[in-house]
Amino acid sequence: MSQDLFSAVDQFIGETIVEEDEALMGAVEAAGVAGLPAIQVSPPQGKLLQLLVRLVGAGKILEFGTLGGYSAILMARALPEDGRLITLEAKPEYAEVARRSIDEAGVGERVEIRVGPALEALPGLENNGPFDLVFIDADKVNTPNYFAWALDRTRPGGLIVADNVVRDGTLADADSADEATRAQRRLHEMLRDEPRVDATTIQTVGVKGYDGFLIALVEAT
Ligand code: SAH
Ligand code: DHB
Ligand code: MG
């Protein structure tokens, strides 16, 4: 089993059931030209986000970590016309690239980018919720903090999805010294004792290597 094989399978999936259109390819291209790291969700993962948006009938989405706008474009496209997505990005220069790509993809009216560290943006979001879906994909050490905040602001029946929780399998290492890994372990331990959500983590391979995401359903109370 190898990275080449994981990538070949993602490529086949991309050629068949999750084809990218010009706007999505343009967003990746623009991000590359501007020097942004190519760490956006893979096309199959992005398609899963779209399906989740549709499954929960989301109208309000919050995203942590915009990068070049790739996942934001995908999720915004799955929203109804009057749906709204707010996405938080620490770096102004990334946000600028994302703004252009999101506008070019035709979903600019649905997407608001807030620039600055996400933790600082949160107090300003109190009047924007409750959210139907929250996608956590920013600085990984803060994933548990973002999750805790989101949990109080996601409607019953809504979803919180956290990317990059498996981290090459280091999630299983109780002695990991890596702060990002320790944060994902803490998140899982937090959820063990959290009656308000029902959750699972799915390990993934693909163009982005070996990782995984957590999906948490906020329980009706
Ligand atoms: N969701 C994107 C990928 C996000 S990559 C996609 O799939 O297309 C992670 C992003 O989080 C980067 O753009 C990084 O600049 C941003 N980020 C890092 N720390 C942050 C913070 N404290 N607050 C907000 N964004 C942050
Ligand atoms: C990184 C961030 C991501 O969101 C991701 O999916 C992969 C890598 C990173 O910061 O390296
Ligand atoms: Mg990610």
Side-chain angles (χ1 to χ4, degrees), residues 92-110:
E93 65 274 25
Y94 289 13
E96 242 175 73
V97 175
R99 182 77 264 164
R100 274 196 298 276
S101 292
I102 290 165
D103 290 346
E104 270 166 35
V107 289
E109 296 209 336
R110 289 179 210 163

mmCIF file of all heavy atoms in Angstrom, residues 92-110:
data_model
loop_
_atom_site.group_PDB
_atom_site.id
_atom_site.type_symbol
_atom_site.label_atom_id
_atom_site.label_comp_id
_atom_site.label_asym_id
_atom_site.label_seq_id
_atom_site.Cartn_x
_atom_site.Cartn_y
_atom_site.Cartn_z
ATOM 1 N N PRO A 92 -4.491 37.675 6.192
ATOM 2 C CA PRO A 92 -5.167 38.563 5.230
ATOM 3 C C PRO A 92 -4.825 38.225 3.780
ATOM 4 O O PRO A 92 -5.702 38.301 2.901
ATOM 5 C CB PRO A 92 -4.628 39.960 5.584
ATOM 6 C CG PRO A 92 -4.000 39.841 6.929
ATOM 7 C CD PRO A 92 -3.668 38.405 7.167
ATOM 8 N N GLU A 93 -3.582 37.837 3.534
ATOM 9 C CA GLU A 93 -3.197 37.561 2.139
ATOM 10 C C GLU A 93 -3.861 36.283 1.621
ATOM 11 O O GLU A 93 -4.176 36.182 0.436
ATOM 12 C CB GLU A 93 -1.672 37.534 1.971
ATOM 13 C CG GLU A 93 -0.936 36.432 2.695
ATOM 14 C CD GLU A 93 -0.570 36.745 4.153
ATOM 15 O OE1 GLU A 93 -1.250 37.587 4.774
ATOM 16 O OE2 GLU A 93 0.378 36.121 4.672
ATOM 17 N N TYR A 94 -4.133 35.324 2.489
ATOM 18 C CA TYR A 94 -4.882 34.134 2.075
ATOM 19 C C TYR A 94 -6.342 34.524 1.815
ATOM 20 O O TYR A 94 -6.962 34.072 0.852
ATOM 21 C CB TYR A 94 -4.850 33.049 3.141
ATOM 22 C CG TYR A 94 -3.522 32.336 3.351
ATOM 23 C CD1 TYR A 94 -2.334 32.822 2.815
ATOM 24 C CD2 TYR A 94 -3.471 31.162 4.088
ATOM 25 C CE1 TYR A 94 -1.137 32.162 3.029
ATOM 26 C CE2 TYR A 94 -2.269 30.489 4.300
ATOM 27 C CZ TYR A 94 -1.105 30.997 3.772
ATOM 28 O OH TYR A 94 0.059 30.323 3.993
ATOM 29 N N ALA A 95 -6.879 35.336 2.714
ATOM 30 C CA ALA A 95 -8.279 35.747 2.601
ATOM 31 C C ALA A 95 -8.531 36.487 1.289
ATOM 32 O O ALA A 95 -9.595 36.334 0.675
ATOM 33 C CB ALA A 95 -8.665 36.615 3.793
ATOM 34 N N GLU A 96 -7.544 37.266 0.866
ATOM 35 C CA GLU A 96 -7.682 38.010 -0.390
ATOM 36 C C GLU A 96 -7.774 37.074 -1.594
ATOM 37 O O GLU A 96 -8.603 37.263 -2.491
ATOM 38 C CB GLU A 96 -6.460 38.908 -0.575
ATOM 39 C CG GLU A 96 -6.784 40.378 -0.624
ATOM 40 C CD GLU A 96 -5.519 41.194 -0.692
ATOM 41 O OE1 GLU A 96 -4.884 41.203 -1.773
ATOM 42 O OE2 GLU A 96 -5.153 41.803 0.344
ATOM 43 N N VAL A 97 -6.920 36.066 -1.593
ATOM 44 C CA VAL A 97 -6.954 35.067 -2.669
ATOM 45 C C VAL A 97 -8.297 34.343 -2.647
ATOM 46 O O VAL A 97 -8.946 34.144 -3.678
ATOM 47 C CB VAL A 97 -5.801 34.042 -2.494
ATOM 48 C CG1 VAL A 97 -5.912 32.929 -3.528
ATOM 49 C CG2 VAL A 97 -4.445 34.741 -2.586
ATOM 50 N N ALA A 98 -8.725 33.974 -1.442
ATOM 51 C CA ALA A 98 -9.993 33.244 -1.299
ATOM 52 C C ALA A 98 -11.163 34.093 -1.788
ATOM 53 O O ALA A 98 -12.051 33.603 -2.491
ATOM 54 C CB ALA A 98 -10.203 32.839 0.158
ATOM 55 N N ARG A 99 -11.157 35.357 -1.407
ATOM 56 C CA ARG A 99 -12.249 36.262 -1.808
ATOM 57 C C ARG A 99 -12.446 36.243 -3.317
ATOM 58 O O ARG A 99 -13.556 36.117 -3.824
ATOM 59 C CB ARG A 99 -11.922 37.683 -1.312
ATOM 60 C CG ARG A 99 -12.940 38.748 -1.591
ATOM 61 C CD ARG A 99 -14.128 38.651 -0.643
ATOM 62 N NE ARG A 99 -15.235 37.913 -1.213
ATOM 63 C CZ ARG A 99 -16.265 37.427 -0.509
ATOM 64 N NH1 ARG A 99 -16.339 37.566 0.797
ATOM 65 N NH2 ARG A 99 -17.220 36.769 -1.102
ATOM 66 N N ARG A 100 -11.323 36.376 -4.025
ATOM 67 C CA ARG A 100 -11.400 36.400 -5.496
ATOM 68 C C ARG A 100 -11.938 35.082 -6.050
ATOM 69 O O ARG A 100 -12.820 35.062 -6.915
ATOM 70 C CB ARG A 100 -10.012 36.680 -6.094
ATOM 71 C CG ARG A 100 -9.686 38.159 -6.199
ATOM 72 C CD ARG A 100 -8.506 38.409 -7.144
ATOM 73 N NE ARG A 100 -7.285 37.771 -6.683
ATOM 74 C CZ ARG A 100 -6.449 38.297 -5.788
ATOM 75 N NH1 ARG A 100 -6.709 39.470 -5.250
ATOM 76 N NH2 ARG A 100 -5.355 37.651 -5.418
ATOM 77 N N SER A 101 -11.405 33.979 -5.537
ATOM 78 C CA SER A 101 -11.829 32.670 -6.068
ATOM 79 C C SER A 101 -13.291 32.377 -5.741
ATOM 80 O O SER A 101 -14.016 31.796 -6.557
ATOM 81 C CB SER A 101 -10.933 31.559 -5.509
ATOM 82 O OG SER A 101 -9.622 31.688 -6.028
ATOM 83 N N ILE A 102 -13.699 32.774 -4.541
ATOM 84 C CA ILE A 102 -15.098 32.554 -4.131
ATOM 85 C C ILE A 102 -16.033 33.380 -5.021
ATOM 86 O O ILE A 102 -17.069 32.894 -5.489
ATOM 87 C CB ILE A 102 -15.275 32.892 -2.637
ATOM 88 C CG1 ILE A 102 -14.563 31.841 -1.763
ATOM 89 C CG2 ILE A 102 -16.755 32.995 -2.262
ATOM 90 C CD1 ILE A 102 -14.365 32.252 -0.314
ATOM 91 N N ASP A 103 -15.655 34.620 -5.273
ATOM 92 C CA ASP A 103 -16.466 35.482 -6.152
ATOM 93 C C ASP A 103 -16.519 34.897 -7.562
ATOM 94 O O ASP A 103 -17.588 34.849 -8.190
ATOM 95 C CB ASP A 103 -15.900 36.905 -6.188
ATOM 96 C CG ASP A 103 -16.111 37.633 -4.862
ATOM 97 O OD1 ASP A 103 -16.899 37.148 -4.033
ATOM 98 O OD2 ASP A 103 -15.457 38.678 -4.660
ATOM 99 N N GLU A 104 -15.373 34.447 -8.039
ATOM 100 C CA GLU A 104 -15.327 33.904 -9.398
ATOM 101 C C GLU A 104 -16.144 32.621 -9.525
ATOM 102 O O GLU A 104 -16.624 32.281 -10.609
ATOM 103 C CB GLU A 104 -13.880 33.671 -9.839
ATOM 104 C CG GLU A 104 -13.319 34.917 -10.522
ATOM 105 C CD GLU A 104 -11.810 34.880 -10.685
ATOM 106 O OE1 GLU A 104 -11.264 33.788 -10.907
ATOM 107 O OE2 GLU A 104 -11.205 35.960 -10.574
ATOM 108 N N ALA A 105 -16.287 31.920 -8.421
ATOM 109 C CA ALA A 105 -17.081 30.687 -8.445
ATOM 110 C C ALA A 105 -18.581 30.988 -8.407
ATOM 111 O O ALA A 105 -19.404 30.075 -8.506
ATOM 112 C CB ALA A 105 -16.696 29.789 -7.272
ATOM 113 N N GLY A 106 -18.933 32.261 -8.228
ATOM 114 C CA GLY A 106 -20.341 32.650 -8.295
ATOM 115 C C GLY A 106 -21.101 32.524 -6.989
ATOM 116 O O GLY A 106 -22.323 32.642 -6.962
ATOM 117 N N VAL A 107 -20.383 32.289 -5.869
ATOM 118 C CA VAL A 107 -21.075 32.152 -4.586
ATOM 119 C C VAL A 107 -20.685 33.265 -3.611
ATOM 120 O O VAL A 107 -20.901 33.161 -2.403
ATOM 121 C CB VAL A 107 -20.823 30.759 -3.936
ATOM 122 C CG1 VAL A 107 -21.550 29.679 -4.708
ATOM 123 C CG2 VAL A 107 -19.330 30.454 -3.838
ATOM 124 N N GLY A 108 -20.136 34.341 -4.163
ATOM 125 C CA GLY A 108 -19.651 35.445 -3.330
ATOM 126 C C GLY A 108 -20.692 36.008 -2.384
ATOM 127 O O GLY A 108 -20.369 36.383 -1.253
ATOM 128 N N GLU A 109 -21.938 36.057 -2.828
ATOM 129 C CA GLU A 109 -22.979 36.662 -1.984
ATOM 130 C C GLU A 109 -23.315 35.813 -0.777
ATOM 131 O O GLU A 109 -23.856 36.306 0.203
ATOM 132 C CB GLU A 109 -24.237 36.903 -2.821
ATOM 133 C CG GLU A 109 -23.981 37.905 -3.914
ATOM 134 C CD GLU A 109 -25.226 38.686 -4.288
ATOM 135 O OE1 GLU A 109 -26.338 38.172 -4.043
ATOM 136 O OE2 GLU A 109 -25.076 39.792 -4.834
ATOM 137 N N ARG A 110 -23.005 34.545 -0.860
ATOM 138 C CA ARG A 110 -23.322 33.651 0.258
ATOM 139 C C ARG A 110 -22.188 33.544 1.275
ATOM 140 O O ARG A 110 -22.374 32.952 2.331
ATOM 141 C CB ARG A 110 -23.574 32.226 -0.261
ATOM 142 C CG ARG A 110 -24.849 32.086 -1.021
ATOM 143 C CD ARG A 110 -25.009 30.649 -1.516
ATOM 144 N NE ARG A 110 -25.768 30.693 -2.748
ATOM 145 C CZ ARG A 110 -25.839 29.713 -3.620
ATOM 146 N NH1 ARG A 110 -25.180 28.582 -3.403
ATOM 147 N NH2 ARG A 110 -26.551 29.837 -4.705
#
